[in-house]
Amino acid sequence: MFCTAEVGFGLSPTATFTAFKPFFVELALPYSVIRGEAFALKATVFNYLLQCIKVRVTLAESAQFQVQAGENGAYTSCLCADEGKTFQWEVTASSLGEVNFTVSTEALRTEELCGTELAVVPAQGRVDTVIKPLLVQPGGILEEKAHSSLLCQEASEEIYLQLPANVLTGSERAHVTVVGDIMGTSLQNIERLLAMPYGSGEENMVWFAHNIYTQQYLEKSEQLSPEIRDKAQGFLQSGYQRELLYKHNDGSYSASGKSDVTGNTWLTAFVLKSFGQARPYISIDEKHLEDALGWLQRHQQETGCFRSVGYLLNNALQGGVVDELSLSAYITAALLELGQPLTDPMMTRALQCLRKSSTSDLYMQALLAYAFGLAESTELRDALLQSLAQHSVSAGGQLYWQRKVKALPSPYGNHAPSVEMTAYVLLAYLSLPNVSAADMGTAVQIVRWLSKQHYPYGGFAYTQDMLVALQALAKYAALTHSASGAVSVTVSSQAGAWQQFHVENANRLVLQRAALQEIPGQYTVRASGKGCVFVQLTLRYNVPPPKSTVTFDLRLETEPKECTESTRSGFSLVLHARYSGERPASNMAIIEAKLPSGYTPVKRSLQQLEKQRLVKWLEVQNDQVTLYLDQLTKEEVSFTFSLEQDFPVKNLRAAPVRLYDYYKTGEHTEAEYSAPCGSAPDTNTMGNSQ
């Protein structure tokens, strides 16, 4: 409480009071169950009064679940002073999503005795009602498909949401999001872009670069708040200090630092480029740049090309850089981004190497076009872009390039393997000091296509896709950002349902969202006004675990295998995994192990698991344990942790486990396991008990 005076105001002394209910009810239920499973919903009532009361405890009816209980699902019982009793119902979940359970407890007026006492009715607080949600899941494996569109001015697009034949009934759901920024979905999940760097010399630099390009994009599009800037710069400072741990005495860098025989050419160039781009945000010791530059210079051959030395744990980080010419083009572009003068003998010889090259490979042409653009060698850049234009794929105002290699399947179904190459072409079109109107017109078509490659939560499929696409989109944002304009977006279905959104500068960065009810269904997305909007229709559904073992083998066992009295309360899960693909080993691998309903992991067993050689770290969520592994080889390894039952659940469904490559999510396999005792024990205690 405060009081005012003619000048200023004053605060009164703090007053405190204690409030309590005469009685209250608590609900206990698992975090989640799978549709069709049954569990015991427990309501415990506590009496804080000094006298006895008689209460009626009622579970409200709902079409979302079925109850097997006593008369009308209600119980009546006496509770005397400081006494608590538990009432329970056997509940079977029938609806998907968040299901609310409502339990009311009422003190009854009665002439009946509770033991030897007359039951009282409190003057206040005669009823206590508790509502608690439970997540009901369909089981199986979640799949997501995103249909993304960048719509500018007057534009429209037809999108069809289609389900596979093996979809689990009722698991389908869809929504549309609208935001006035091409990276809007990613920025809503910014923790996927801005994160603390960690891991080896390679992984650390990946996250370091993510933080740089994300900050560049936010800065150029006028979205960099002081809070995000401080967080990003803190991450950059930490990543910078960590990367120095992987520096060799000769100035090079490698995945494991000095324990490696030599530094790696590509990684050293990546570090040099990234440290240079971080200079506007954090303090970088120029000596580290000079040392790396000197090491690269010592590995430059008489031809001007660069020699490849050292190795990477994850070759996928290099993207399409696979030979001496592509490595030399990458390093040359990195040096030009760093600001090395064209008169520098190292740069002169590097460009000489590239000018003498001849290639029909589209990826190489894209990388060379970008390098020549940075070097302001306009004729060479234009010649390469003209050659690339002859091999472009154009459809619906979009432009992209496809590599002639077999693409890996994507779990989201919309990944294209040419994101990195197309992003390099975009950088080439934007590389000259003054971008022409013609180049900008082509760039818009490329950006439209890149926008369609976003995953449902933003970002792109593979690490190198993300790095190059982020860099290109940051450059595009710097050239095209405008705070003016307003766009109206209408999403309509053939059946007549429709949603409307309005985007202007005031809400340009607000992610607007609405559910879509018609699945499957055909939708028309139409934009009108001045400016651009990013629209994404996301379809989610569950399917049975596919029997795929193309690149990984995964076997699951429970210990013990058979149901005994002791295994009802807990058991151990053993994960047997190995890599079976074409390479000697995988990149960092992830195992996502769902838990059976009503079970939780035993902390002590997880602590032991974390000490295992290949386990980098693990995460524990409400219904899942996730293991991050250094890599998997052709030799099978096993990982074990224990589970204990905290809620009995009947008709237990199998729990899925997913194993995939962190950098190539298209390489994956799935399996499932069941608890040794598939059902909770029958009980005669449904009703009230002490």
Side-chain angles (χ1 to χ4, degrees):
M1 178 178 179
F2 68 90
C3 54
T4 60
E6 293 183 3
V7 179
F9 66 91
L11 294 174
S12 66
T14 302
T16 62
F17 66 93
T18 301
F20 69 93
K21 296 179 179 180
F23 64 90
F24 71 93
V25 59
E26 278 188 349
L27 293 188
L29 65 168
Y31 165 75
S32 67
V33 296
I34 295 175
R35 180 178 51 189
E37 294 179 335
F39 67 96
L41 170 66
K42 297 181 180 181
T44 302
V45 183
F46 297 92
N47 178 15
Y48 278 168
L49 297 174
L50 298 178
Q51 302 87 19
C52 295
I53 58 174
K54 191 166 190 176
V55 295
R56 179 169 57 227
V57 186
T58 307
L59 171 62
E61 294 183 359
S62 172
Q64 296 180 302
F65 56 83
Q66 287 80 45
V67 181
Q68 295 179 1
E71 295 182 4
N72 300 319
Y75 297 102
T76 302
S77 178
C78 287
L79 277 82
C80 290
D82 294 325
E83 186 179 14
K85 286 189 178 180
T86 297
F87 307 84
Q88 59 187 53
W89 300 262
E90 185 176 315
V91 176
T92 302
S94 56
S95 295
L96 294 174
E98 192 172 90
V99 175
N100 284 330
F101 291 87
T102 303
V103 174
S104 295
T105 304
E106 180 183 5
L108 302 176
R109 296 185 183 278
T110 178
E111 298 299 325
E112 297 179 10
L113 295 178
C114 286
T116 58
E117 294 184 32
L118 185 66
V120 302
V121 177
Q124 294 180 328
R126 289 182 52 196
V127 178
D128 186 33
T129 300
V130 174
I131 301 174
K132 196 167 183 178
L134 170 74
L135 179 62
V136 181
Q137 303 184 94
I141 298 293
L142 172 66
E143 291 196 353
E144 301 179 281
K145 289 186 177 181
H147 304 264
S148 305
S149 302
L150 182 65
L151 303 177
C152 300
Q153 316 309 332
E154 304 292 328
S156 66
E157 187 169 341
E158 299 289 327
I159 297 173
Y160 185 53
L161 301 183
Q162 189 171 10
L163 295 170
N166 63 336
V167 65
L168 294 178
T169 304
S171 67
E172 63 273 11
R173 57 270 198 207
H175 66 267
V176 58
T177 56
V178 177
V179 66
D181 188 281
I182 185 176
M183 292 293 290
T185 308
S186 296
L187 298 179
Q188 295 298 319
N189 297 279
I190 198 166
E191 70 280 355
R192 296 171 182 257
L193 299 178
L194 288 179
M196 180 67 72
Y198 61 86
S200 69
E202 299 168 13
E203 293 172 278
N204 185 69
M205 284 310 301
V206 168
W207 287 107
F208 187 83
H210 273 195
N211 285 293
I212 293 172
Y213 296 137
T214 302
Q215 198 166 181
Q216 284 180 354
Y217 184 87
L218 293 172
E219 187 176 54
K220 301 303 183 184
S221 58
E222 299 181 7
Q223 302 178 57
L224 187 60
S225 66
E227 294 79 14
I228 293 179
R229 183 187 62 240
D230 291 345
K231 176 185 286 188
Q233 291 181 359
F235 290 159
L236 285 177
Q237 186 63 44
S238 176
Y240 167 58
Q241 295 295 334
R242 182 177 179 84
E243 191 62 28
L244 296 180
L245 300 174
Y246 303 102
K247 181 181 177 182
H248 292 246
N249 293 334
D250 57 13
S252 64
Y253 295 81
S254 67
S256 302
K258 294 178 183 178
S259 61
D260 292 327
V261 176
T262 180
N264 175 265
T265 312
W266 182 89
L267 181 59
T268 301
F270 185 31
V271 171
L272 177 62
K273 163 184 172 171
S274 301
F275 280 6
Q277 291 172 327
R279 283 184 292 190
Y281 307 113
I282 62 173
S283 176
I284 300 288
D285 189 338
E286 291 295 317
K287 186 178 186 307
H288 298 308
L289 301 178
E290 294 167 1
D291 291 346
L293 193 61
W295 187 85
L296 289 173
Q297 188 172 16
R298 291 192 295 275
H299 287 78
Q300 189 176 27
Q301 304 172 84
E302 290 185 6
T303 60
C305 298
F306 292 87
R307 203 166 60 246
S308 177
V309 299
Y311 73 97
L312 290 174
L313 291 175
N314 175 22
N315 288 324
L317 285 183
Q318 297 178 135
V321 177
V322 294
D323 55 21
E324 184 179 276
L325 179 58
S326 55
L327 176 64
S328 298
Y330 178 85
I331 294 174
T332 303
L335 295 175
L336 290 166
E337 288 176 346
L338 190 66
Q340 287 298 103
L342 296 174
T343 54
D344 186 317
M346 185 179 180
M347 288 305 312
T348 303
R349 288 190 292 144
L351 289 168
Q352 181 183 6
C353 161
L354 303 187
R355 290 190 180 103
K356 289 182 177 180
S357 65
S358 176
T359 179
S360 60
D361 180 74
L362 297 183
Y363 178 90
M364 268 307 309
Q365 290 183 6
L367 192 50
L368 286 170
Y370 176 47
F372 286 134
L374 292 174
E376 298 184 40
S377 297
T378 308
E379 290 184 6
L380 290 170
R381 184 205 75 139
D382 291 349
L384 287 163
L385 289 178
Q386 287 175 12
S387 175
L388 284 163
Q390 296 174 13
H391 299 89
S392 64
V393 181
S394 178
Q398 304 166 45
L399 202 61
Y400 69 96
W401 283 260
Q402 187 79 30
R403 296 197 73 185
K404 295 181 180 179
V405 294
K406 184 179 179 182
L408 289 170
S410 165
Y412 296 110
N414 68 343
H415 172 63
S418 49
V419 167
E420 181 197 6
M421 178 170 62
T422 300
Y424 270 127
V425 178
L426 175 59
L427 283 169
Y429 273 104
L430 304 178
S431 59
L432 296 179
N434 297 306
V435 182
S436 67
D439 284 352
M440 188 57 71
T442 305
V444 170
Q445 297 179 64
I446 298 173
V447 169
R448 285 199 191 105
W449 182 83
L450 283 175
S451 71
K452 284 188 168 296
Q453 311 316 307
H454 280 85
Y455 273 9
Y457 298 103
F460 298 88
Y462 297 152
T463 301
Q464 195 62 9
D465 289 353
M466 187 67 178
L467 290 176
V468 183
L470 259 180
Q471 183 180 1
L473 291 173
K475 179 72 172 177
Y476 180 80
L479 296 172
T480 61
H481 172 66
S482 173
S484 62
V487 182
S488 290
V489 178
T490 302
V491 182
S492 58
S493 70
Q494 284 188 325
W498 64 281
Q499 300 279 351
Q500 191 167 39
F501 307 88
H502 186 69
V503 179
E504 56 188 10
N505 190 50
N507 70 341
R508 183 172 61 89
L509 305 180
V510 176
L511 188 76
Q512 302 182 60
R513 172 173 168 155
L516 300 174
Q517 301 301 330
E518 294 176 28
I519 313 169
Q522 186 168 345
Y523 292 86
T524 300
V525 181
R526 181 172 285 106
S528 60
K530 183 181 179 182
C532 296
V533 291
F534 181 70
V535 182
Q536 189 173 71
L537 272 68
T538 301
L539 173 64
R540 296 175 180 167
Y541 53 86
N542 290 60
V543 296
K547 306 303 180 183
S548 168
T549 56
V550 177
T551 50
F552 289 101
D553 291 331
L554 178 63
R555 292 190 303 111
L556 309 178
E557 288 185 299
T558 61
E559 292 181 350
K561 295 180 176 61
E562 304 298 328
C563 179
T564 64
E565 202 58 40
S566 62
T567 56
R568 290 192 183 279
S569 59
F571 64 94
S572 293
L573 174 63
V574 186
L575 311 165
H576 303 283
R578 75 179 189 93
Y579 177 69
S580 57
E582 297 178 353
R583 293 170 285 137
S586 73
N587 302 308
M588 185 168 73
I590 312 296
I591 299 179
E592 296 175 346
K594 286 281 189 179
L595 307 180
S597 300
Y599 282 86
T600 59
V602 178
K603 289 184 179 180
R604 184 174 63 257
S605 70
L606 296 180
Q607 291 168 354
Q608 291 299 315
L609 184 58
E610 276 188 304
K611 298 176 182 178
Q612 199 162 328
R613 181 176 59 86
L614 290 177
V615 178
K616 298 175 69 66
W617 74 92
L618 57 83
E619 294 176 352
V620 181
Q621 297 170 303
N622 290 310
D623 61 346
Q624 179 173 296
V625 172
T626 303
L627 279 68
Y628 294 79
L629 311 176
D630 270 325
Q631 63 176 9
L632 287 173
T633 65
K634 303 298 175 67
E635 182 180 350
E636 185 177 87
V637 290
S638 300
F639 307 94
T640 304
F641 64 92
S642 300
L643 296 88
E644 59 186 1
Q645 189 181 62
D646 61 352
F647 272 94
V649 176
K650 289 186 175 182
N651 308 321
L652 268 179
R653 302 301 194 258
V657 178
R658 182 181 181 87
L659 166 60
Y660 61 93
D661 189 299
Y662 181 78
Y663 294 104
K664 292 187 175 183
T665 53
E667 296 186 357
H668 62 94
T669 189
E670 290 81 14
E672 58 184 18
Y673 69 98
S674 297
C677 298
S679 297
D682 290 330
T683 176
N684 297 318
T685 59
M686 292 294 178
N688 60 66
S689 61
Q690 294 289 343

